[in-house]
């Protein structure tokens, strides 16, 4: 495992043919919302009573997810797999982004937001329940064909989700972990970018989207 800089990561990313982003609720937590069991297994979470009111979300949180959607739109990431139930990307209700949302695989589904702009969304899979097979197969497919898997905001505490990133090593793919602190996935990673995911994504967005380096 090699520690790399943002410049190194951007070089690796732009040389990749099929980069896939695999994130958990750690991203939500860092940008100011909350976490789920996939990020903090020791937290007390009453997910059944948890709901969002999209129109009341902080603008900075919405901006964080609009950045993610832009990166998907520009094919900086081919797909995003998420284990977070807080599907805040659905609160970005720009009609033009509907196609981009199809590039997101919500592995455990989504909480039921009170004013969600989307009519149909995957129902939340609670701890111990059976995963949606269609979502699982889609995630497996994306990981297996990926040549670069970027992991962040996700700790290997939920099974079988914790095993999915390892599948990339059955091919020729590489793993990049983006975390400020040690993450158990570093034991199987090829590269470690010791930076927060929001800062990394903002940096990539400026250099690969705003500067029009991505077609």
């Amino acid at each position: 495992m090699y520690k790399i800089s943002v410049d190194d990561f951007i070089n690796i990313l732009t040389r990749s043919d099929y980069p896939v982003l695999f994130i958990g609720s750690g991203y939500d937590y860092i940008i100011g919302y909350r976490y789920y069991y996939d990020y903090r297994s020791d937290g007390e979470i009453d997910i059944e009573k948890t709901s969002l009111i999209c129109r009341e979300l902080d603008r900075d949180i919405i901006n964080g997810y609009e950045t993610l959607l832009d990166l998907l739109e520009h094919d900086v990431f081919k797909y995003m797999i998420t284990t977070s139930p807080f599907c805040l990307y659905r609160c970005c209700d720009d009609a033009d982004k509907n196609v981009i949302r199809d590039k997101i695989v919500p592995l455990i589904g989504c909480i039921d937001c009170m004013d969600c702009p989307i009519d149909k969304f995957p129902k939340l899979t609670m701890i111990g329940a059976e995963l949606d097979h269609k979502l699982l197969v889609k995630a497996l497919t994306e990981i297996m064909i990926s040549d670069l898997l970027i992991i962040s905001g996700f700790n290997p505490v939920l099974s079988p989700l914790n095993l999915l990133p390892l599948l990339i090593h059955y091919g020729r793919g590489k793993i990049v972990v983006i975390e400020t602190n040690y993450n158990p996935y570093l034991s199987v990673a090829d590269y470690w970018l010791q930076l927060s995911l929001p800062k990394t994504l903002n940096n990539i967005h400026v250099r690969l989207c705003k500067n029009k380096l991505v077609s």
Side-chain angles (χ1 to χ4, degrees), residues 197-214:
L197 182 60
K199 289 182 179 179
T200 302
L201 296 182
N202 287 335
N203 198 311
I204 295 171
H205 188 256
V206 169
R207 294 173 62 175
L208 299 185
C209 297
K210 289 184 178 180
N211 290 344
K212 307 298 182 182
L213 294 181
V214 175

Side-chain angles (χ1 to χ4, degrees), residues 110-174:
C110 310
I111 61 172
D112 190 1
C113 301
M114 295 176 64
D115 59 342
C116 183
I118 309 300
D119 293 331
K120 296 180 180 179
F121 53 91
K123 295 297 183 181
L124 178 63
T125 301
M126 299 299 294
I127 299 294
E130 187 174 350
L131 290 170
D132 184 308
H133 287 112
K134 290 183 179 179
L135 293 175
L136 182 58
V137 168
K138 182 60 178 173
L140 288 170
T141 301
E142 294 304 322
I143 292 172
M144 292 296 288
I145 65 177
S146 172
D147 62 348
L148 184 67
L149 187 66
I150 300 101
I151 303 174
S152 189
F154 174 56
N155 279 309
V157 294
L158 294 182
S159 178
L161 301 180
N162 53 1
L163 300 177
L164 296 183
L166 305 182
L167 295 175
I168 194 170
H169 282 161
Y170 281 93
R172 298 182 179 180
K174 303 291 186 181

Side-chain angles (χ1 to χ4, degrees), residues 74-102:
H74 285 84
D75 274 341
V76 174
F77 304 116
K78 297 297 184 181
Y79 265 85
M80 183 178 90
I81 301 169
T82 177
T83 60
S84 172
F86 307 117
C87 48
L88 305 186
Y89 53 86
R90 296 179 180 274
C91 301
C92 305
D93 57 355
D94 185 345
D96 294 336
K97 300 297 185 185
N98 287 337
V99 175
I100 309 305
R101 291 192 195 98
D102 291 338

Side-chain angles (χ1 to χ4, degrees), residues 11-24:
N11 286 333
I12 293 169
L13 184 61
T14 54
R15 292 199 307 267
S16 171
D17 293 322
Y18 206 93
V20 171
L21 182 63
F22 193 125
I23 68 172

